[in-house]
């Protein structure tokens, strides 16, 4: 997830400098609200359509990971990234001490404790 975050930061910054030559990678979440995994994340308030930077959420699937030259270990899952906040969300989530954590921030906070 940290490698994905690093790549997303570079892509986001390049896009800010010249969006025509450096488009954001992935599928816009706002155009895929009917996706089952997106619905679960919105129902659990992991992502919120009312959020200020909602339009910067993109789905990074196996195809996009390969395009970015990153290892694909998603096994049918995907990441949702925010190109403004650089948050990384894992669609399946990770259970830590009987609690589900979806964001890289939550996972890092929990492992620091």
């Amino acid at each position: 997830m940290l490698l994905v975050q690093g790549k997303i930061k570079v892509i986001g910054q390049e896009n800010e400098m010249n969006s025509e030559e450096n488009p954001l990678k992935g599928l816009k979440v706002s155009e895929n609200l009917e996706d089952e995994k997106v619905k679960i994340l919105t129902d659990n308030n992991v992502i919120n359509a009312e959020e200020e930077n909602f339009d910067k959420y993109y789905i990074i699937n196996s195809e996009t990971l390969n395009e970015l030259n990153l290892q694909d270990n998603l096994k049918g899952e995907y990441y949702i990234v925010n190109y403004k906040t650089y948050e990384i969300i894992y669609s399946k989530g990770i259970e830590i001490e009987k609690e589900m954590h979806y964001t890289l921030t939550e996972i890092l906070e929990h492992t620091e404790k």
Side-chain angles (χ1 to χ4, degrees), residues 17 21 48 50 52 63 74 77 95 108 110 113:
M17 290 186 283
E21 286 186 22
N48 184 341
E50 304 299 316
E52 179 182 352
E63 182 180 315
L74 292 174
E77 298 295 327
E95 187 174 340
L108 291 175
H110 196 277
K113 291 180 182 177

Side-chain angles (χ1 to χ4, degrees), residues 35-108:
D35 182 278
E36 182 180 326
K37 294 171 187 165
V38 170
K39 282 184 180 182
I40 291 169
L41 293 170
T42 55
D43 289 348
N44 290 325
N45 289 321
V46 177
I47 53 176
N48 184 341
E50 304 299 316
E51 190 177 326
E52 179 182 352
N53 296 310
F54 182 73
D55 65 323
K56 295 294 183 180
Y57 279 111
Y58 281 71
I59 296 168
I60 303 294
N61 57 21
S62 295
E63 182 180 315
T64 308
L65 283 178
N66 290 330
E67 182 182 329
L68 299 174
N69 295 318
L70 293 172
Q71 182 179 357
D72 174 14
N73 57 355
L74 292 174
K75 298 177 182 145
E77 298 295 327
Y78 51 71
Y79 296 116
I80 293 180
V81 302
N82 187 304
Y83 281 101
K84 187 71 175 172
T85 64
Y86 307 122
E87 183 65 84
I88 308 296
I89 300 167
Y90 180 47
S91 62
K92 185 177 179 181
I94 296 172
E95 187 174 340
I96 303 172
E97 295 181 8
K98 299 181 183 178
E99 282 187 43
M100 289 305 292
H101 298 279
Y102 295 92
T103 68
L104 178 58
T105 302
E106 289 176 336
I107 295 165
L108 291 175

